[in-house]
Amino acid sequence: MESILARALEYTLKYWLKSFSRDQFKLQGRTVQLSNLDINGDALHASMGLPPALNVTTAKVGKLEIILPYVSNVQVEPIVVQIDRLDLVLEENPDVDSPRSSSSTQSSTSSGKGSGYGFADKIADGMTVQVQTVNLLLETRGGARGEGGAAWASPMASITMRKLVLYTTNENWQVVNLKEARDFSSNKKFIYVFKKLEWESLSIDLLPHPDMFSDANLARFQVGANQRDDDGAKRVFFGGERFLEGISGEAYITVQRTELNSPLGLEVQLHVTEAVCPALSEPGLRALLRFLTGLYVCLNRGDVDLKAQQRSVEAAGRSLVSVVVDHIFLCIKDTEFQLELLMQSLLFSRASVSDGENAQNLSKVMIGGLFLRDTFSRPPCTLVQPSMTAVADSSLHIPDFATNFCPPIYPLGEQQWQLTVGVPLICLHSLQVKPSPLPPSFASQTVIGCQPLMIHLQEESCLRISSFLADGIVVNRGAILPDSSVNSLVFALKELDISVPLDTSKLDNHVSGDNHIMQKSFAGARLHIEKLFFSESPSLKLKQLNLEKDPACFLLWDGQPIDASQKKWTAGASEFSLSLETTASLTGLQSSHGGTSGLWRSVELKDASIEVAMVSADGSPLTVVPPPGGVVRIGIACQQFMSNTSVEQLFFVLDLYAYIGMVSEKIAVVGKNKRPKRNRDESLGGSLMEKVPSDTAVSLAVNVLQLRFLESSSLDIQGTPLVQFIGNTLFLKVTHRTLGGAIVVSSTLCWESVQVDCVDTEGNLVHKNGMLLDTVENGSLVTNGFSPLRAVFWVNNKQKQHSNGKASLIPFLDISIVHVIPFDERDKECHSLSVSACISGVRLGGGMNYTEALLHRFGIIGPDGGPSMELSKGLENLSSGPLSKLLKPSAFLNNDLEDGGTLGGAKNDSLLHLEMPDDVDVSIELQDWLFALEGVQEMAENWWFDKEVSSREQRCWHTTFRSLQVKAKSSPKDVPNGKGISHGMQRYPVELVTVGVEGLQTLKPQARRGTLQDVSPTNGFKEYFETLGGINLEARMVISEDNIEDEAVNWVVENLKFSVKQPIEAVVTKDELQHLALLCQSEVDSMGRIAVGVLRLLKLEKSLGKETIDKLSNLGTEGFEKIFASDKLGRGSSAGSLGLSPVLKEINEEPRSTVALLEEAVLDSQVKCDALVTELSKSESSQKHLTNINELRNKLDSMQSLLVRLRGQM
């Protein structure tokens, strides 16, 4: 029996040890001692389930002692193997085709695995291994080893485990005799071996890579704790640091074999209750991130040939390695910052299924809870944490590829500590196929799900974290998967709350004064997103882009084979809202608005999404975005966009935009060292047209657009706004195509309907029953606590019948522009511009007087008629703030031009130096327009007879026309002109302009108050006017050929057409004409004052002169009189020869007639008073009344004298 046991041990040791001979095995009683042994790396690699990219280069045992049980107890008691020290070195294979390490030169196929489960196998499976110290050195290549020098190399990890014990248990992980442990495999189709691994202490040290000390950058610095790299990072001086220490844990190992003892499955379940890193320096954190990145690349490399890397028949076809850590605490401490990371219930598992030639790896990461705190700031703040709101749908979503991926190896299901309580905060499933298959098969599929999160963005913390990520999380292109692989990614986040605090005093364009006090109303912004998703896959179905009807995207059509030359992305959210956080003094006021306390909802989007599709030009893998010479399609859609804006809110949002832009620039500077270096040889002399896509289209679709401008000092966002803009069904598309020698840029804009409502600015209003219901507060009409709105701009959509019998609405705005731009200036005769625009169904209410009142109400025009102080300050802030950067050229264009690149390929490229287009075709048509001229009286009647009014047009003068067309064209080329001269090139881009109007009508008020019918039209206007009536005019203008050599353009009217299809009847009374004249005078006055305000805003009043400004300010009164005075008239003209002179005369005569009537009334009153005095003087009882009448007569005399003086002044 002892000889059988000895042969079994020899058999086992020969499998595990290299160069083992029988002479080394000397049994002394029940003990065998060996020393300085080399372990077979392949056997160790297979038994541990290591990834193929890792090699066991060194595996040494210091002293090995084997203690045998009594011969009678061999079947029930284990053999104990004691090792004092085990040294292991794992290195990543640098090249796929490189030879294996020396430790794997010995073939292990002679181990006899698969020949049956014999005595030696049972003895080996029942061994107990005790190791005092395990030293493991892990070296990876790193994700960005080739860039940034050796300072960026991934550090090495030194792992030390003490008092490690590996023993055999039963299926319940209980220590029993070996016979009972083997009983579970009885009557099973498989052989199961259950082992439990325990260790007392585990520590991890991060060591600098040896190449780091040979880096030339190291010589530029002196050793010191505060020395930093060029971008302010402490990365060069990392000299090693302990990451973890004193971590205890246990592992549960299940080995599954066939009945013939062939390896079938291996499952390793590691459980650590707590992992604490109390203090990690900044260089240590950067080194840790680089190490984790290198380890990630090593585990997921897709260029490993499994057949060439096959090491041992002991390797199982299915393996599952999982790590569960209950609590993780990581503290990063430095002199200038301190971060704390707390994670709960971290689960990492990796399942592999291999057939010897191909392998599928499923990685799963679950995090139950995550907290990231900045404890250095005052007060400390939490940067990342789970949301406090409950989620209705809390089910765990498992993708299809992860369902039933690998049959369970452990036969009794998950352990108690493996069970997930609730839904994890973050859940990741990733499937990868090795080696990467050819398209259309996917090489990798990743699905990430996340529960509601709260993120607090703080400037200093964001810059630090961005620096860490830019340093550590960098992977070279093609390091994991080849460029020809096809991949997919799905990310879903149920809710996200991002808060951004803002201190306006830190901005460069910080303002002081009243504007600063207004901005003090807000302390930050909060972004709330629901059901956020992002997907990347060439097999995506993009409904918005409608690729099936795009001939240029035939490679992206449904049913076409997918490959790496195609890219598709989509992202969106069901709800997107931006709220401004008020200061503490306003929190109590905001809490009554029905929303979140202390938040003012500013912008809200519903069902917003973006879709992107790209194809490379030659079918090669798409590695550069956007693809040079390729096809690009971008679509943006939003179901509903709503905005609540006030002056304070607008300026605060602009400051927030400037602040985010400033922080983004700092983040870009932090990560600039890790950006891929552009080859200067490729950029020099290159053409911009060769670097941009040849066919691009961008579309924007918004179904409902609502903009509300609120009162400046209003705290109620639910009330009636000052201005409300509502638009429906907006679609905009811009395309770009590169032809052989030109670029074609086309734009299409289609907008179905628009409505603009403004607050009414009138005074007290009386309801129809005579009761005063509404009051005026601060010049604003308040009805039930809110100011009413009146429509000033809206659209009356008419239907258009199609040939198929269906009808569609005629859109309000339909614009199409096509611009052809040649590459070379020598081809400028091909430079053409075509514009076609149709604006239909526009209705304009109110007037210039009402507009002027609104401008004063909104604070745009000040009391002096010029721009208000708030507007001037706002424009000054905008000119020096973030919007000023929008006019700067893009960095892409700047870099290309600075590097010597050109736009069209030639050095003296003239694409941006072309003049006006040579061929112009412009057609603008206004269909079915109506203008209502509403004065103060008409606007007041809207409220006096609110329920009795049938239409606003029946109470005011209005003008309408059926169609107004403006066409501008270039004259045909090579056609002789009037002098017989043919010009191949036009001197002017536009040489023919045709203006025509059809159905022009001007209608007077049709009814007065109290006599109108009870009708309820849209926006108060009833469409009743005759569509076929009115005047038709057409004017054709051309450039005069008499002065063809002159630089100035002289336009002449070639012909003029006037026609009337139906008889016209014009009836107007003197009172109506006078009212119209006064109304026009008031409108012109307001127009002049608005023009003066605009000129003063543009600072042009000095160039125009004070006299011109004064005339514009009094354009309707003194200005008209001065303009049409006799000394201002031309020769042969008089005041009576002008059509407007009678009206002006009537205007001037009206005050005189009013004074005459007053004089007549006063004289009549004086006569009656004299008669009463004569009568009452005869009666003694009426002495008291006589006194009063005498006083009244004296007052009438005073009024008479004042009227005489007034007449004299007039």
Side-chain angles (χ1 to χ4, degrees):
M1 188 65 183
E2 292 181 356
S3 61
I4 297 176
L5 183 60
R7 285 196 299 270
L9 285 175
E10 290 177 9
Y11 174 84
T12 303
L13 292 175
K14 186 176 181 180
Y15 172 77
W16 284 98
L17 301 178
K18 288 194 309 180
S19 303
F20 177 76
S21 63
R22 190 170 184 177
D23 297 336
Q24 295 178 271
F25 186 78
K26 296 180 180 180
L27 183 60
Q28 299 176 358
R30 293 188 298 112
T31 304
V32 178
Q33 293 185 353
L34 301 173
S35 60
N36 298 326
L37 302 175
D38 292 332
I39 298 179
N40 187 345
D42 284 348
L44 189 62
H45 189 284
S47 62
M48 295 178 63
L50 298 176
L54 277 179
N55 287 334
V56 182
T57 58
T58 303
K60 292 182 177 295
V61 173
K63 181 180 179 182
L64 184 145
E65 183 177 356
I66 302 176
I67 303 175
L68 303 177
Y70 290 102
V71 177
S72 59
N73 296 331
V74 169
Q75 297 290 338
V76 294
E77 293 184 7
I79 298 176
V80 179
V81 179
Q82 296 180 349
I83 301 175
D84 64 341
R85 188 183 74 255
L86 175 61
D87 297 330
L88 301 174
V89 177
L90 303 181
E91 292 183 3
E92 182 181 356
N93 189 358
D95 194 358
V96 181
D97 300 326
S98 64
R100 291 182 294 173
S101 62
S102 59
S103 65
S104 58
T105 56
Q106 176 183 346
S107 175
S108 57
T109 58
S110 61
S111 60
K113 297 294 182 181
S115 60
Y117 194 52
F119 177 74
D121 298 316
K122 295 179 181 180
I123 293 299
D125 290 341
M127 284 184 178
T128 297
V129 180
Q130 300 175 355
V131 184
Q132 291 296 322
T133 304
V134 177
N135 297 317
L136 173 62
L137 184 65
L138 178 59
E139 179 184 356
T140 61
R141 302 293 298 172
R145 179 71 177 272
E147 299 180 3
W152 295 89
S154 175
M156 300 181 297
S158 175
I159 303 174
T160 303
M161 302 178 68
R162 301 185 185 277
K163 295 184 179 182
L164 184 145
V165 180
L166 176 66
Y167 54 90
T168 304
T169 65
N170 62 1
E171 67 276 8
N172 296 318
W173 312 112
Q174 299 172 352
V175 179
V176 295
N177 61 65
L178 299 182
K179 185 177 181 180
E180 294 180 5
R182 289 191 293 268
D183 288 342
F184 181 80
S185 300
S186 302
N187 300 325
K188 301 287 194 304
K189 295 182 180 181
F190 306 102
I191 299 174
Y192 288 97
V193 178
F194 304 100
K195 286 184 173 293
K196 187 175 182 180
L197 174 66
E198 297 178 348
W199 67 89
E200 185 178 306
S201 174
L202 181 146
S203 60
I204 301 178
D205 296 284
L206 298 178
L207 305 178
H209 197 277
D211 295 344
M212 179 179 174
F213 297 99
S214 62
D215 198 322
N217 294 328
L218 191 63
R220 297 188 295 108
F221 297 91
Q222 298 179 355
V223 178
N226 295 325
Q227 297 293 334
R228 294 185 176 272
D229 208 345
D230 294 337
D231 59 353
K234 295 182 183 178
R235 72 171 62 89
V236 176
F237 300 100
F238 174 68
E241 191 168 348
R242 173 150 292 186
F243 171 52
L244 292 176
E245 183 177 8
I247 306 300
S248 62
E250 54 191 9
Y252 303 89
I253 304 172
T254 302
V255 179
Q256 185 185 34
R257 301 194 187 103
T258 63
E259 293 179 330
L260 297 177
N261 200 29
S262 297
L264 187 61
L266 172 64
E267 181 174 355
V268 180
Q269 306 170 3
L270 285 84
H271 182 210
V272 177
T273 57
E274 188 178 55
V276 178
C277 178
L280 187 67
S281 65
E282 177 185 349
L285 177 61
R286 298 180 186 274
L288 174 63
L289 292 176
R290 292 199 300 273
F291 168 74
L292 294 177
T293 303
L295 183 61
Y296 165 76
V297 173
C298 177
L299 294 178
N300 296 276
R301 280 175 54 183
D303 57 353
V304 179
D305 188 356
L306 298 180
K307 200 170 184 179
Q309 296 289 330
Q310 190 71 26
R311 291 178 168 83
S312 174
V313 296
E314 179 70 12
R318 295 183 291 114
S319 63
L320 174 61
V321 179
S322 61
V323 180
V324 177
V325 184
D326 295 338
H327 301 281
I328 297 179
F329 178 77
L330 175 64
C331 181
I332 301 99
K333 288 185 178 181
D334 201 84
T335 56
E336 300 177 1
F337 75 99
Q338 180 172 336
L339 297 176
E340 292 182 355
L341 174 64
L342 175 63
M343 282 194 294
Q344 298 175 340
S345 302
L346 171 64
L347 167 64
F348 170 79
S349 68
R350 183 179 179 87
S352 300
V353 177
S354 174
D355 59 1
E357 296 183 357
N358 298 288
Q360 292 184 345
N361 300 323
L362 176 63
S363 300
K364 180 171 64 175
V365 178
M366 292 185 179
I367 300 176
L370 175 65
F371 295 87
L372 180 62
R373 300 182 71 248
D374 182 3
T375 56
F376 184 81
S377 62
R378 291 294 178 267
C381 65
T382 302
L383 302 179
V384 180
Q385 69 178 30
S387 178
M388 300 303 178
T389 59
V391 182
D393 182 15
S394 59
S395 59
L396 177 61
H397 172 69
I398 300 178
D400 295 336
F401 62 80
T403 304
N404 300 325
F405 170 77
C406 177
I409 299 175
Y410 178 70
L412 300 183
E414 294 183 342
Q415 303 297 313
Q416 182 65 32
W417 50 269
Q418 287 183 300
L419 297 177
T420 303
V421 179
V423 180
L425 178 65
I426 300 175
C427 183
L428 179 146
H429 293 85
S430 179
L431 176 64
Q432 183 180 354
V433 181
K434 297 181 181 180
S436 297
L438 297 176
S441 299
F442 283 92
S444 69
Q445 300 179 65
T446 304
V447 176
I448 305 174
C450 189
Q451 298 298 313
L453 271 179
M454 297 176 62
I455 299 178
H456 182 81
L457 297 181
Q458 198 175 39
E459 179 180 352
E460 296 297 331
S461 302
C462 288
L463 293 178
R464 291 287 184 181
I465 295 175
S466 300
S467 176
F468 297 150
L469 297 179
D471 190 348
I473 313 299
V474 178
V475 179
N476 287 340
R477 191 182 68 192
I480 297 178
L481 295 173
D483 295 335
S484 59
S485 62
V486 179
N487 313 297
S488 70
L489 171 65
V490 176
F491 172 79
L493 176 60
K494 292 187 176 180
E495 287 186 11
L496 178 63
D497 288 295
I498 302 176
S499 59
V500 183
L502 176 62
D503 185 2
T504 55
S505 60
K506 296 182 179 179
L507 297 177
D508 296 336
N509 59 338
H510 171 63
V511 296
S512 58
D514 298 336
N515 193 23
H516 174 62
I517 296 176
M518 289 193 302
Q519 297 180 36
K520 277 288 191 178
S521 302
F522 304 102
R526 183 172 299 178
L527 180 64
H528 177 75
I529 305 176
E530 293 184 4
K531 295 182 180 181
L532 175 67
F533 67 90
F534 172 81
S535 300
E536 177 187 0
S537 174
S539 61
L540 286 175
K541 307 296 182 182
L542 304 180
K543 299 179 181 180
Q544 178 186 337
L545 292 180
N546 200 9
L547 300 176
E548 301 295 331
K549 297 183 178 180
D550 194 339
C553 300
F554 67 95
L555 292 176
L556 299 173
W557 289 352
D558 190 15
Q560 293 285 350
I562 60 175
D563 54 26
S565 65
Q566 309 168 14
K567 295 286 186 181
K568 292 181 181 179
W569 297 275
T570 179
S574 63
E575 182 178 346
F576 179 101
S577 62
L578 175 65
S579 303
L580 302 186
E581 187 174 357
T582 59
T583 55
S585 60
L586 299 178
T587 302
L589 296 175
Q590 292 291 332
S591 61
S592 61
H593 295 160
T596 305
S597 177
L599 296 180
W600 186 342
R601 180 165 293 185
S602 177
V603 178
E604 184 175 355
L605 283 79
K606 299 287 187 180
D607 297 330
S609 63
I610 178 173
E611 296 177 354
V612 182
M614 299 182 184
V615 179
S616 61
D618 54 359
S620 60
L622 200 159
T623 57
V624 179
V625 177
V631 179
V632 177
R633 294 292 182 267
I634 302 175
I636 304 173
C638 180
Q639 180 66 27
Q640 186 177 23
F641 181 93
M642 294 185 294
S643 173
N644 298 303
T645 306
S646 66
V647 175
E648 303 96 328
Q649 196 172 358
L650 177 62
F651 285 117
F652 184 83
V653 170
L654 292 175
D655 285 340
L656 181 65
Y657 170 71
Y659 176 72
I660 294 177
M662 179 182 64
V663 176
S664 301
E665 291 179 357
K666 294 181 180 179
I667 293 177
V669 171
V670 168
K672 67 179 181 180
N673 294 334
K674 298 307 297 177
R675 294 176 183 172
K677 301 293 189 300
R678 294 180 56 191
N679 191 351
R680 187 171 180 82
D681 295 335
E682 296 179 359
S683 61
L684 286 175
S687 170
L688 179 62
M689 293 299 105
E690 298 176 356
K691 299 177 182 180
V692 299
S694 61
D695 194 332
T696 307
V698 181
S699 63
L700 170 65
V702 181
N703 286 346
V704 179
L705 177 63
Q706 181 176 346
L707 308 178
R708 304 168 78 242
F709 191 86
L710 307 178
E711 191 81 46
S712 298
S713 58
S714 175
L715 298 178
D716 195 338
I717 63 174
Q718 305 298 331
T720 304
L722 295 179
V723 178
Q724 179 173 271
F725 179 93
I726 300 176
N728 295 324
T729 316
L730 168 65
F731 180 78
L732 172 65
K733 185 175 183 179
V734 180
T735 63
H736 151 268
R737 288 180 297 165
T738 302
L739 304 179
I743 303 174
V744 179
V745 180
S746 59
S747 304
T748 301
L749 174 61
C750 184
W751 204 335
E752 184 176 295
S753 63
V754 170
Q755 179 171 332
V756 180
D757 301 330
C758 296
V759 69
D760 204 288
T761 59
E762 295 305 309
N764 295 341
L765 302 180
V766 182
H767 198 260
K768 63 178 183 178
N769 55 10
M771 297 179 60
L772 185 63
L773 298 181
D774 305 322
T775 58
V776 174
E777 298 180 3
N778 299 325
S780 171
L781 177 67
V782 178
T783 305
N784 296 327
F786 302 130
S787 299
L789 296 179
R790 71 165 31 233
V792 297
F793 183 100
W794 67 97
V795 175
N796 180 38
N797 296 107
K798 294 186 177 181
Q799 291 188 346
K800 178 181 180 181
Q801 297 293 334
H802 298 279
S803 58
N804 57 3
K806 297 182 179 180
S808 62
L809 292 178
I810 300 178
F812 146 69
L813 191 60
D814 190 357
I815 301 176
S816 178
I817 303 175
V818 178
H819 194 186
V820 180
I821 308 174
F823 290 155
D824 199 334
E825 189 177 5
R826 292 172 295 183
D827 300 328
K828 63 180 181 179
E829 67 273 5
C830 301
H831 191 191
S832 63
L833 175 64
S834 175
V835 179
S836 175
C838 181
I839 309 175
S840 305
V842 173
R843 300 294 182 264
L844 293 173
M848 300 305 298
N849 202 343
Y850 176 64
T851 303
E852 182 186 13
L854 289 179
L855 293 177
H856 282 282
R857 173 70 179 274
F858 298 160
I860 298 177
I861 297 181
D864 59 347
S868 64
M869 186 179 300
E870 291 79 6
L871 179 62
S872 301
K873 290 183 179 179
L875 294 177
E876 183 180 356
N877 294 340
L878 292 179
S879 61
S880 61
L883 294 184
S884 60
K885 300 180 181 179
L886 295 179
L887 300 179
K888 295 182 179 180
S890 62
F892 180 79
L893 184 61
N894 264 347
N895 293 337
D896 278 285
L897 296 180
E898 290 175 1
D899 291 343
T902 61
L903 296 175
K907 199 67 178 178
N908 297 325
D909 186 81
S910 56
L911 178 63
L912 299 182
H913 302 285
L914 292 175
E915 298 178 355
M916 293 293 294
D918 186 65
D919 185 7
V920 176
D921 185 359
V922 179
S923 176
I924 301 176
E925 182 178 5
L926 310 183
Q927 292 183 355
D928 187 23
W929 280 49
L930 186 146
F931 301 87
L933 186 59
E934 295 179 296
V936 177
Q937 179 180 353
E938 289 81 4
M939 295 173 65
E941 290 179 355
N942 292 342
W943 305 104
W944 274 85
F945 303 96
D946 185 36
K947 301 300 181 181
E948 300 176 2
V949 171
S950 62
S951 62
R952 288 162 61 180
E953 70 174 18
Q954 295 183 0
R955 298 186 308 272
C956 61
W957 288 84
H958 56 279
T959 300
T960 180
F961 56 82
R962 186 167 56 254
S963 174
L964 189 150
Q965 291 185 344
V966 178
K967 295 183 179 181
K969 293 184 179 181
S970 303
S971 61
K973 300 182 178 66
D974 300 326
V975 176
N977 56 12
K979 298 182 179 181
I981 302 175
S982 176
H983 298 282
M985 296 284 295
Q986 281 80 10
R987 185 176 182 184
Y988 305 104
V990 177
E991 299 180 357
L992 173 63
V993 176
T994 303
V995 181
V997 60
E998 296 181 3
L1000 178 62
Q1001 302 180 65
T1002 300
L1003 304 178
K1004 66 179 182 179
Q1006 300 299 312
R1008 302 306 299 171
R1009 61 191 181 188
T1011 63
L1012 301 176
Q1013 300 177 357
D1014 190 9
V1015 185
S1016 299
T1018 304
N1019 295 313
F1021 270 86
K1022 177 184 176 182
E1023 307 292 340
Y1024 79 98
F1025 55 85
E1026 183 63 43
T1027 58
L1028 299 178
I1031 301 173
N1032 302 329
L1033 295 173
E1034 181 178 334
R1036 181 183 175 93
M1037 295 180 293
V1038 297
I1039 296 179
S1040 175
E1041 298 179 354
D1042 296 336
N1043 299 326
I1044 193 171
E1045 302 297 333
D1046 296 341
E1047 294 294 335
V1049 180
N1050 296 323
W1051 290 89
V1052 295
V1053 178
E1054 189 178 49
N1055 55 30
L1056 180 64
K1057 294 182 180 180
F1058 178 87
S1059 63
V1060 177
K1061 294 184 178 180
Q1062 292 184 357
I1064 298 177
E1065 180 181 2
V1067 179
V1068 61
T1069 64
K1070 177 181 178 182
D1071 294 337
E1072 291 175 342
L1073 186 61
Q1074 290 180 354
H1075 175 70
L1076 178 62
L1078 290 175
L1079 190 59
C1080 292
Q1081 174 187 338
S1082 176
E1083 291 294 299
V1084 173
D1085 274 336
S1086 298
M1087 185 185 302
R1089 288 190 292 267
I1090 293 175
V1092 169
V1094 174
L1095 293 175
R1096 294 180 61 180
L1097 177 64
L1098 299 176
K1099 299 181 180 180
L1100 299 176
E1101 64 273 14
K1102 293 183 179 179
S1103 59
L1104 296 177
K1106 187 176 183 304
E1107 184 179 357
T1108 304
I1109 297 297
D1110 292 340
K1111 287 184 178 180
L1112 286 175
S1113 300
N1114 302 278
L1115 194 59
T1117 53
E1118 297 181 4
F1120 264 27
E1121 293 179 2
K1122 293 180 181 179
I1123 291 175
F1124 295 102
S1126 58
D1127 58 343
K1128 301 287 184 179
L1129 299 175
R1131 295 181 179 179
S1133 300
S1134 63
S1137 64
L1138 296 176
L1140 287 179
S1141 295
V1143 178
L1144 293 177
K1145 183 178 180 180
E1146 195 69 38
I1147 294 174
N1148 295 330
E1149 290 295 334
E1150 183 173 354
R1152 300 180 184 275
S1153 62
T1154 303
V1155 172
L1157 293 176
L1158 287 174
E1159 288 180 341
E1160 183 179 353
V1162 170
L1163 290 176
D1164 184 57
S1165 299
Q1166 287 179 334
V1167 171
K1168 292 181 179 180
C1169 285
D1170 292 339
L1172 288 175
V1173 169
T1174 304
E1175 230 179 275
L1176 291 174
S1177 61
K1178 300 178 181 179
S1179 175
E1180 297 180 358
S1181 60
S1182 302
Q1183 189 65 31
K1184 181 179 180 181
H1185 298 288
L1186 181 62
T1187 305
N1188 296 333
I1189 292 176
N1190 286 328
E1191 293 179 0
L1192 178 61
R1193 186 176 61 178
N1194 294 333
K1195 292 181 180 180
L1196 289 175
D1197 294 339
S1198 301
M1199 292 175 60
Q1200 176 66 24
S1201 61
L1202 292 176
L1203 287 173
V1204 173
R1205 185 186 304 174
L1206 178 60
R1207 178 178 290 276
Q1209 293 177 355
M1210 296 180 60

